[in-house]
Amino acid sequence: MVQGIDTHYRACNLCEAICGLEIRTHGPEILSIRGDKDDPISQGYICPKATALTDIHNDPDRLRRPVRKIDGEWREIAWDEAFEYAAKAIVALQEKHGPDSVAFFAGNPSVHNWGNMTHGLLLRKAVGTRSHFSATSLDQLPHHLAGLKMYGHQFFVPIPDIDRTQLFVIFGGNPLASNGSMMTMADARGKLKALRTRDGELVVFDPRRTETAAVADEHYFVKPGSDAYVLTAIIHELFAEELVRCEYLGGVLKHVDAVEQAVAALTPELAEQKSGVPAGMIRQLARRLSETERAVVYGRMGVSVQRFGALCQWAIQVINILIGAFDRQGGTLLTTPAFDSVQKGSRGAGSFDRFRSRVRGLPEHGGELPAVTLAEEILTEGEGQLRGMITIAGNPLRSSAGSDQLKRAFETLEFQMAIDFYINETTSHADLILPPTSPLEHDHYDIAFFKLAVRNSTRYNAPVFEPEEGALHDWQIFNELSTKISALKGRAFKPLPAPEKLLEAGIYDGEYGPERNPDVALTLDAIKAAPHGIDLGPLQEGAVDRLCTDDDKIDLLPTLYADDLARLREDDFQASDLLLIGRRHVRSNNSWFHNYHRLVKGKPRWQLMMHPRDLETRNIQDGAQVRIESRAGSVTTTVIATEDIMPGVVSLPHGWGHDEPKARLSIASKQGGVNCNALTDDQLYDIASGNAALNGVPVTVSAI
Ligand SMILES: Nc1nc2c(c(=O)[nH]1)N[C@H]1C(S)=C(S)[C@@H](COP(=O)(O)OP(=O)(O)OC[C@H]3O[C@@H](n4cnc5c(=O)[nH]c(N)nc54)[C@H](O)[C@@H]3O)O[C@H]1N2
Ligand SMILES: Nc1nc2c(c(=O)[nH]1)N[C@H]1C(S)=C(S)[C@@H](COP(=O)(O)OP(=O)(O)OC[C@H]3O[C@@H](n4cnc5c(=O)[nH]c(N)nc54)[C@H](O)[C@@H]3O)O[C@H]1N2
Ligand code: SF4
Ligand SMILES: [Mo]
């Protein structure tokens, strides 16, 4: 043991894999970040992004004090002054234009920083607006909708039992780049390798031969946006060939026959015509899914964030039920987290379509409106027009559909503020930015991801460093700002205690707590005494007993989906030219990982991927500068030829284009990529759910 060197165990909170880290420090210095071999779920695995925690912590661009824009320049101000200014501006706006004129946008890291989850609602309540937006409607909304409509709770999300399955079918997910999503599993490569070592099979449907497709037994190109035909054709075939194996669910299922009728016209032949996947192959896959003892279908971004996102996630649930995978080992299982587990009566069950957006009439979900309506809600005059914006851990001007229009909208706002530690493409338009502590300065618990993990476990981490003097955590910012706003409104307000206190109570009352499980009698103290975390074992069967529907049944065909199947049958969407899809890379993370030298160095990873044949017909050279145009906007970038992409499809990653003059991202701003969401379109979305369709965007590409 070297004098003065401390070893900390701490989860990486940068992505859904939540790997355990061993961090060695000497005073304020980080000496090393390695995988924690004793972590129950990641067992030593980490990806290259983990070391970026050092870079985030040390980044001179990261804000440590509130900044206010005065005469167009950023000035540091004191916290008191910042809260006073923010509260006055918010309340004044609401007095002038009504309570809903101020909107929130909560971005992705909100779910990776637990103080945002425990205290976020507080600020929403203090502000008292109905205008909420988040990255959910650019992402996993269809998963929540299926959970709510079929099982009665938006977090009733059955997880693929990846460690025990023998046939794993992935639609539109690339865990080798993303490290898994809506399926917390560190070391995707290792897990998929283990599947194949035990003679299991991996089948991937993706318009690109991705890193994951490259290690699969079979990969099928599927035309972007057409998966719903393939998935419903599988359902069709399961009925037609009497491959349905859900007798074990007995009387729990409702509307099984209705599903059979609803997919009667959705044949494998139609699916082939729409998607390019051979009908014979769809038939054969349906049979294999039914006949393989442990088989499971999983779908992610590629099928959630497209024109039929809701229908795709519904169909995946239906297939898993019909083939006998639901609530079975090697199929899909519900997690039993130590904190906030889903069961009947548990909070946050969710809602859908209780009210609609003012301009386009899009449905609310869980109290939020779809992100694709944000720009028009700001730009369209009339009662209820949005005049103020509070963004929290998000960068919608890079992550939301049709971001050029959204930028024009943001420029008309009377007041904009952010809770964020970077001046990025969105926050650079703000009047005020309140920066929370760095990830290593706060304690950590994965409220969201233990719920989505492929194995049950629990782990609490103390902060690695004391916060810098005067620094506040996100939850403290929520408390302080809510206090100030409530005072101005003359309302009583009681700040919430630290997240740790809420966790302590939740663990005690939870699934493994002394009351409900005297054998385990888990407490927060016991969790704290196990710095690597505690393994709570493989996922268990029993989801059927935890259904949250009023009648304790599973509705196999809620009206929403029955109606949407009609839309699918009648759909005649034609791409005039090329279809744009996204892409992720293991060294990048949404829009905020391009300011760390060690992650962006090496060859560029942001080019437009295009098939050589598509280049040839347009007389474009590999490596040339091209102009990409869509209805919503255009960008200019470099093209790279690859046979790994389906002809007719082009791919561009999101989160790049760090070219806002008022932003402060010294390394990111020197990188070459462009903003792919200038091309995506707020008018292209999944009508059933309101979720964005960021994949399958019609574009043209030309040489310049
Ligand atoms: N075209 C296209 N667009 C996409 C996608 C796609 O696949 N294709 N993916 C979509 C998806 S799935 C998502 S989730 C979104 C992500 O997009 P957003 O939700 O906008 O999230 P990020 O781009 O990650 O921006 C994160 C911001 O949070 C800040 N931040 C980080 N940690 C903290 C913290 O602890 N507290 C606070 N207060 N701030 C913090 C960072 O500084 C950064 O400014 O993008 C969506 N956009
Ligand atoms: N390294 C890294 N990891 C991340 C992130 C990151 O930005 N970088 N972001 C995190 C976030 S916020 C999320 S939500 C997850 C996402 O996790 P994943 O969904 O696993 O990630 P993607 O790489 O977006 O995978 C989507 C795949 O769908 C394919 N696709 C596009 N359109 C279609 C289609 O119409 N049909 C089909 N079948 N496939 C299609 C794309 O080619 C792509 O391979 O990743 C998380 N992890
Ligand atoms: S996969 Fe990488 S970024 Fe994600 S949690 Fe693990 S180490 Fe962190
Ligand atoms: Mo996401």
Side-chain angles (χ1 to χ4, degrees):
M1 194 60 150
V2 184
Q3 193 69 38
I5 294 184
D6 295 312
T7 303
H8 313 258
Y9 298 98
R10 154 73 209 234
C12 176
N13 68 325
L14 300 177
C15 91
E16 295 177 49
I18 65 169
C19 302
L21 306 177
E22 182 196 276
I23 304 178
R24 287 168 65 246
T25 60
H26 183 243
E29 209 188 327
I30 300 165
L31 302 176
S32 66
I33 297 186
R34 299 201 183 97
D36 175 5
K37 289 192 288 297
D38 297 321
D39 186 274
I41 45 177
S42 59
Q43 293 160 343
Y45 173 84
I46 52 167
C47 87
K49 288 186 295 302
T51 44
L53 281 167
T54 306
D55 305 330
I56 298 168
H57 190 72
N58 295 331
D59 192 351
D61 287 337
R62 180 170 63 81
L63 297 175
R64 271 80 169 169
R65 292 272 180 282
V67 290
R68 182 177 164 185
K69 207 186 277 150
I70 300 172
D71 298 330
E73 297 301 324
W74 291 110
R75 302 259 176 84
E76 275 194 9
I77 60 170
W79 279 106
D80 273 353
E81 189 186 338
F83 288 129
E84 186 80 20
Y85 170 59
K88 277 190 176 151
I90 292 165
V91 174
L93 217 57
Q94 289 184 299
E95 279 172 357
K96 200 160 123 201
H97 302 294
D100 300 333
S101 62
V102 175
F104 281 87
F105 179 93
N108 169 277
S110 305
V111 272
H112 293 272
N113 178 335
W114 71 310
N116 277 266
M117 301 196 68
T118 53
H119 288 59
L121 204 60
L122 208 67
L123 182 62
R124 290 175 175 221
K125 278 198 181 138
V127 173
T129 172
R130 221 164 60 148
S131 309
H132 299 285
F133 300 83
S134 82
T136 293
S137 53
L138 303 166
D139 190 349
Q140 82 287 5
L141 169 55
H143 296 251
H144 298 312
L145 192 57
L148 177 68
K149 292 283 173 189
M150 299 177 71
Y151 311 118
H153 198 297
Q154 62 173 337
F155 294 114
F156 199 111
V157 178
I159 307 297
D161 189 12
I162 188 163
D163 291 330
R164 291 179 288 196
T165 195
Q166 288 298 107
L167 173 59
F168 190 38
V169 181
I170 302 181
F171 280 85
N174 185 12
L176 255 49
S178 69
N179 282 296
S181 181
M182 300 303 279
M183 176 177 63
T184 285
M185 54 154 186
D187 190 12
R189 188 180 291 276
K191 288 212 160 18
L192 296 177
K193 202 172 156 193
L195 164 74
R196 300 191 61 199
T197 310
R198 60 177 187 265
D199 289 330
E201 286 176 301
L202 174 64
V203 179
V204 173
F205 289 81
D206 199 301
R208 183 166 77 86
R209 191 175 300 115
T210 60
E211 295 79 354
T212 307
V215 302
D217 298 271
E218 290 166 35
H219 165 235
Y220 296 94
F221 280 135
V222 53
K223 197 171 150 193
S226 71
D227 303 79
Y229 292 102
V230 179
L231 291 161
T232 50
I234 292 174
I235 300 175
H236 174 103
E237 200 56 19
L238 291 173
F239 283 111
E241 293 299 312
E242 297 182 11
L243 297 167
V244 172
R245 298 176 30 159
C246 57
E247 311 77 26
Y248 72 109
L249 290 169
V252 171
L253 298 179
K254 281 199 313 199
H255 296 145
V256 182
D257 297 342
V259 173
E260 180 172 8
Q261 284 157 26
V263 300
L266 293 161
T267 60
E269 280 67 29
L270 177 66
E272 173 170 340
Q273 190 194 319
K274 295 280 190 179
S275 70
V277 181
M281 190 275 135
I282 296 172
R283 293 212 155 85
Q284 185 230 50
L285 181 64
R287 182 164 294 279
R288 269 158 74 201
L289 279 167
S290 169
E291 289 176 357
T292 305
E293 204 44 60
R294 292 162 176 235
V296 66
V297 181
Y298 158 84
R300 200 53 277 272
M301 278 301 287
V303 285
S304 295
V305 191
Q306 51 135 295
R307 287 178 57 249
F308 287 100
L311 212 47
C312 285
Q313 289 302 338
W314 163 82
I316 287 170
Q317 294 304 320
V318 171
I319 294 172
N320 284 331
I321 289 170
L322 295 180
I323 63 170
F326 175 80
D327 201 20
R328 281 235 181 116
Q329 283 189 17
T332 61
L333 295 165
L334 205 56
T335 58
T336 30
F339 179 77
D340 204 20
S341 83
V342 168
Q343 45 230 309
K344 203 163 189 170
S346 64
R347 62 187 191 94
S351 60
F352 186 73
D353 206 9
R354 278 180 305 152
F355 58 92
R356 294 196 173 183
S357 69
R358 177 179 65 106
V359 179
R360 213 186 308 176
L362 293 189
E364 150 277 349
H365 61 275
E368 295 179 7
L369 290 169
V372 293
T373 67
L374 181 54
E376 66 200 11
E377 290 294 330
I378 300 172
L379 291 169
T380 312
E381 285 176 22
E383 182 145 352
Q385 182 180 4
L386 300 181
R387 315 284 186 139
M389 225 25 249
I390 304 169
T391 64
I392 301 167
N395 190 3
L397 297 195
R398 283 297 169 276
S399 54
S400 196
S403 58
D404 282 358
Q405 179 187 230
L406 196 56
K407 177 178 164 180
R408 286 194 295 278
F410 269 51
E411 283 168 349
T412 69
L413 291 169
E414 288 177 38
F415 175 70
Q416 185 195 334
M417 66 165 281
I419 301 177
D420 201 306
F421 41 54
Y422 278 108
I423 308 181
N424 64 24
E425 297 73 29
T426 301
T427 61
S428 61
H429 293 273
D431 301 290
L432 176 73
I433 307 176
L434 307 179
T437 46
S438 108
L440 298 180
E441 291 172 329
H442 57 75
D443 61 355
H444 181 73
Y445 189 86
D446 278 295
I447 297 182
F449 302 107
F450 289 134
K451 270 190 215 174
L452 299 172
V454 300
R455 192 174 173 92
N456 292 314
S457 68
T458 184
R459 173 184 59 200
Y460 168 90
N461 300 120
V464 173
F465 297 114
E466 284 300 309
E468 275 181 40
E469 203 184 315
L472 296 178
H473 304 305
D474 281 83
W475 66 268
Q476 291 173 314
I477 296 174
F478 292 130
N479 265 348
E480 296 285 334
L481 186 55
S482 305
T483 306
K484 275 274 182 320
I485 291 172
S486 304
L488 283 180
K489 292 189 173 189
R491 289 201 202 127
F493 175 78
K494 210 169 133 238
L496 272 181
E500 190 192 329
K501 292 283 161 226
L502 307 172
L503 179 67
E504 186 171 22
I507 297 279
Y508 193 90
D509 295 335
E511 203 76 47
Y512 308 86
E515 307 268 300
R516 280 168 47 195
N517 194 338
D519 292 342
V520 184
L522 193 67
T523 59
L524 182 57
D525 282 342
I527 298 174
K528 282 183 175 173
H532 305 283
I534 299 174
D535 185 18
L536 296 169
L539 303 187
Q540 302 290 329
E541 294 171 355
V544 167
D545 304 318
R546 288 162 65 192
L547 288 168
C548 302
T549 45
D550 292 338
D551 56 5
D552 297 323
K553 292 192 191 317
I554 299 171
D555 189 351
L556 227 51
L557 190 62
T559 320
L560 176 86
Y561 301 107
D563 294 347
D564 211 38
L565 282 166
R567 176 169 70 103
L568 183 71
R569 287 191 297 265
E570 286 152 23
D571 191 55
D572 60 355
F573 182 82
Q574 297 288 344
S576 49
D577 196 353
L578 297 161
L579 289 173
L580 174 72
I581 60 167
R583 149 170 121 240
R584 282 174 161 78
H585 190 280
V586 76
R587 289 180 168 273
S588 175
N589 191 21
N590 296 325
S591 78
W592 70 291
F593 267 56
H594 306 142
N595 212 41
Y596 315 119
H597 178 70
R598 73 178 103 209
L599 292 181
V600 289
K601 68 181 184 204
K603 53 180 187 187
R605 292 177 275 263
W606 38 256
Q607 297 101 323
L608 181 77
M609 285 185 176
M610 195 161 168
H611 195 276
R613 232 188 293 156
D614 287 327
L615 284 173
E616 206 180 289
T617 53
R618 286 165 188 77
N619 264 319
I620 304 172
Q621 301 295 315
D622 185 8
Q625 285 292 102
V626 291
R627 187 175 175 78
I628 319 168
E629 286 178 90
S630 74
R631 190 203 71 90
S634 69
V635 295
T636 301
T637 192
T638 312
V639 72
I640 178 169
T642 171
E643 298 200 341
D644 285 340
I645 197 149
M646 197 177 170
V649 180
V650 289
S651 163
L652 201 59
H654 71 286
W656 293 88
H658 302 287
D659 52 1
E660 269 298 320
K662 283 267 181 286
R664 193 188 291 169
L665 296 164
S666 45
I667 296 177
S669 61
K670 295 197 184 74
Q671 308 305 314
V674 291
N675 171 22
C676 119
N677 283 315
L679 299 165
T680 60
D681 193 337
D682 69 329
Q683 298 300 319
L684 195 74
Y685 63 104
D686 172 25
I687 290 169
S689 64
N691 206 36
L694 302 170
N695 289 303
V697 180
V699 293
T700 59
V701 177
S702 51
I704 35 176

